[in-house]
Amino acid sequence: MKFILDSSYFFGNYNLSGEFFTTPEVVDELKDAVSKMRYEVLVSNGLCVTEPSPEALSKTTEAALKSGDARVLSDTDISVIALAVSLEGTVVSDDFAVQNVCRHLKQPFQSIVQKRAKKKVWKKICSGCGREIPENEDVCSVCGSEPLKRKTERR
């Protein structure tokens, strides 16, 4: 099995068996000595650091926009999900927004310590007038209020 590792995997001592992959963006996030040593051990055991395809990045970004998670996902998060799409692997992450986008893409994921996230669709709501705001806007076009709130759609 192919596992695509998010930064959170390197912060603890977890055991998985299979092929391991991550992105250069994840490696850049590893700052403390323990996570860097864990990274080095995994590299010596075959961890591959690679980039996702441009098509997978586009597909992942589109899914993050549709799910409403784009505002809270970092470029690193997007790269991890996109690499899983490129390699048809399983994302390993405790980040609920990462898991939610994986659900929208029907991409397998595995949590590390936290419980699994439920599938949600987020929308932006104006804190002033309560209207729904398009994902690409940061200020309400009706009343000019900011900041905007994130809220799940009712099902």
Side-chain angles (χ1 to χ4, degrees), residues 126-129 133 138-148:
C126 175
S127 58
C129 66
I133 308 300
D138 291 325
V139 177
C140 180
S141 60
V142 175
C143 71
S145 291
E146 60 178 313
L148 304 174

CSV table of all heavy atoms in Angstrom, one decimal, residues 126-129 133 138-148:
chain,number,residue,atom,x,y,z
A,126,CYS,N,-21.5,36.1,5.9
A,126,CYS,CA,-21.2,37.4,6.3
A,126,CYS,C,-21.6,37.6,7.8
A,126,CYS,O,-22.7,37.2,8.2
A,126,CYS,CB,-22.0,38.5,5.5
A,126,CYS,SG,-21.7,40.1,6.1
A,127,SER,N,-20.6,38.1,8.6
A,127,SER,CA,-20.9,38.3,10.0
A,127,SER,C,-21.8,39.4,10.3
A,127,SER,O,-22.3,39.6,11.4
A,127,SER,CB,-19.5,38.5,10.8
A,127,SER,OG,-18.8,39.6,10.3
A,128,GLY,N,-22.0,40.3,9.3
A,128,GLY,CA,-22.9,41.4,9.5
A,128,GLY,C,-24.4,41.1,9.1
A,128,GLY,O,-25.3,41.2,9.9
A,129,CYS,N,-24.6,40.7,7.8
A,129,CYS,CA,-25.9,40.6,7.4
A,129,CYS,C,-26.4,39.1,7.2
A,129,CYS,O,-27.5,38.8,7.0
A,129,CYS,CB,-26.1,41.3,6.0
A,129,CYS,SG,-25.2,40.6,4.7
A,133,ILE,N,-21.5,34.2,1.0
A,133,ILE,CA,-20.6,35.0,0.2
A,133,ILE,C,-19.8,34.0,-0.7
A,133,ILE,O,-19.4,32.9,-0.2
A,133,ILE,CB,-19.6,35.7,1.2
A,133,ILE,CG1,-20.3,36.6,2.2
A,133,ILE,CG2,-18.6,36.6,0.3
A,133,ILE,CD1,-21.2,37.6,1.7
A,138,ASP,N,-13.6,38.1,0.1
A,138,ASP,CA,-13.3,38.2,1.5
A,138,ASP,C,-14.1,39.3,2.3
A,138,ASP,O,-14.0,39.4,3.5
A,138,ASP,CB,-11.8,38.5,1.7
A,138,ASP,CG,-11.0,37.3,1.3
A,138,ASP,OD1,-11.4,36.1,1.5
A,138,ASP,OD2,-9.9,37.5,0.7
A,139,VAL,N,-14.8,40.1,1.5
A,139,VAL,CA,-15.6,41.2,2.1
A,139,VAL,C,-17.0,41.1,1.6
A,139,VAL,O,-17.2,40.8,0.4
A,139,VAL,CB,-15.0,42.6,1.8
A,139,VAL,CG1,-15.9,43.7,2.4
A,139,VAL,CG2,-13.6,42.7,2.4
A,140,CYS,N,-18.0,41.3,2.4
A,140,CYS,CA,-19.4,41.2,1.9
A,140,CYS,C,-19.7,42.3,0.9
A,140,CYS,O,-19.5,43.5,1.2
A,140,CYS,CB,-20.4,41.2,3.1
A,140,CYS,SG,-22.1,41.1,2.6
A,141,SER,N,-20.2,41.9,-0.3
A,141,SER,CA,-20.5,42.9,-1.3
A,141,SER,C,-21.8,43.7,-1.0
A,141,SER,O,-22.1,44.7,-1.6
A,141,SER,CB,-20.6,42.3,-2.7
A,141,SER,OG,-21.6,41.3,-2.7
A,142,VAL,N,-22.6,43.2,0.0
A,142,VAL,CA,-23.9,43.8,0.3
A,142,VAL,C,-23.7,44.9,1.4
A,142,VAL,O,-24.1,46.0,1.2
A,142,VAL,CB,-24.9,42.7,0.7
A,142,VAL,CG1,-26.2,43.4,1.2
A,142,VAL,CG2,-25.2,41.8,-0.4
A,143,CYS,N,-23.0,44.4,2.5
A,143,CYS,CA,-22.9,45.4,3.6
A,143,CYS,C,-21.5,45.8,4.0
A,143,CYS,O,-21.3,46.6,4.8
A,143,CYS,CB,-23.6,44.8,4.9
A,143,CYS,SG,-22.7,43.4,5.6
A,144,GLY,N,-20.5,45.2,3.3
A,144,GLY,CA,-19.1,45.5,3.5
A,144,GLY,C,-18.5,45.0,4.7
A,144,GLY,O,-17.4,45.3,5.1
A,145,SER,N,-19.2,44.1,5.5
A,145,SER,CA,-18.6,43.5,6.7
A,145,SER,C,-17.5,42.5,6.4
A,145,SER,O,-17.5,41.8,5.4
A,145,SER,CB,-19.7,42.8,7.5
A,145,SER,OG,-20.7,43.8,8.0
A,146,GLU,N,-16.7,42.4,7.4
A,146,GLU,CA,-15.7,41.4,7.5
A,146,GLU,C,-15.3,41.2,9.0
A,146,GLU,O,-15.6,42.1,9.7
A,146,GLU,CB,-14.5,41.7,6.6
A,146,GLU,CG,-13.7,43.0,7.0
A,146,GLU,CD,-12.5,43.2,6.2
A,146,GLU,OE1,-11.7,42.2,6.0
A,146,GLU,OE2,-12.3,44.3,5.7
A,147,PRO,N,-14.8,40.2,9.5
A,147,PRO,CA,-14.5,39.0,8.8
A,147,PRO,C,-15.7,38.1,8.6
A,147,PRO,O,-16.7,38.3,9.2
A,147,PRO,CB,-13.5,38.3,9.8
A,147,PRO,CG,-14.0,38.7,11.1
A,147,PRO,CD,-14.5,40.1,10.9
A,148,LEU,N,-15.6,37.2,7.6
A,148,LEU,CA,-16.6,36.3,7.3
A,148,LEU,C,-16.5,35.0,8.1
A,148,LEU,O,-15.4,34.7,8.6
A,148,LEU,CB,-16.5,35.9,5.8
A,148,LEU,CG,-16.6,37.2,4.9
A,148,LEU,CD1,-16.4,36.8,3.4
A,148,LEU,CD2,-17.9,37.9,5.0
